[in-house]
Amino acid sequence: MDAGLLFGSVIGTIIVSISGTVAASVAFLIARYFARERILKLVEGNKKFLAIDKAIGENGFGVVTLLRLSPLLPFSLGNYLYGLTSVKFVPYVLGSWLGMLPGTWAYVSAGAFGRAIIQDESEFGLTGGNGLLTLGLGLLATALAAAYVTRLAKDAVKDIE
């Protein structure tokens, strides 16, 4: 919101999108290179975990994008969790960027709306209904992500049985 207040919707969204994606990538890499091997040792005999991990790794871009659209998985926790899976780095970064973009735009635009009120810019047209639209789209994305990941997990478990 601060970026929207300071820089407006477009520039603010660009700044927040880049910085958020870089921060998510750093957290992913920390988890990948400092914790993944230990986690794999802990779940070494768990065929279900390994199958689900493989399925998520193979469909990484789609899973990451859809889960980033969901408001239920906190981004900071997700950054580290994705680093523990076999999701490849580039699909993770692209999926994170794309999936975070709508929420980033919504928050930055809210800040820009505040700026417009402060500066009394009547040409800025953001109605209150957009908040409900954003929430509805977030909930729809959550349902789609949950269904997609559940299907992947079931298929992965079937493959090992």
Side-chain angles (χ1 to χ4, degrees), residues 16-159:
V16 172
S17 180
I18 291 170
S19 60
T21 303
V22 168
S25 299
V26 169
F28 174 92
L29 292 171
I30 288 170
R32 172 65 48 96
Y33 292 106
F34 291 107
R36 179 161 165 77
E37 290 303 318
R38 286 182 221 144
I39 296 297
L40 287 177
K41 286 179 186 173
L42 289 174
V43 297
E44 195 170 358
N46 188 329
K47 291 181 181 180
K48 287 184 181 183
F49 174 84
L50 296 174
I52 291 169
D53 179 49
K54 180 182 176 200
I56 290 173
E58 290 172 356
N59 299 286
F61 174 78
V63 169
V64 171
T65 302
L66 286 173
L67 288 175
R68 288 292 190 191
L69 289 169
S70 167
L72 295 181
L73 181 63
F75 284 176
S76 56
L77 176 63
N79 297 333
Y80 293 104
L81 291 176
Y82 296 126
L84 298 176
T85 69
S86 59
V87 172
K88 298 209 178 352
F89 183 68
V90 171
Y92 167 78
V93 171
L94 294 176
S96 289
W97 173 75
L98 185 62
M100 291 189 296
L101 197 55
T104 298
W105 177 83
Y107 279 109
V108 172
S109 292
F113 182 61
R115 176 184 180 172
I117 290 172
I118 291 169
Q119 295 177 347
D120 195 28
E121 295 176 6
S122 59
E123 72 270 5
F124 188 85
L126 180 66
T127 62
N130 282 342
L132 289 176
L133 176 63
T134 300
L135 177 62
L137 290 174
L139 292 174
L140 177 63
T142 299
L144 289 173
Y148 182 65
V149 172
T150 300
R151 184 176 56 85
L152 286 176
K154 285 182 180 178
D155 291 348
V157 170
K158 280 183 192 175
D159 287 347

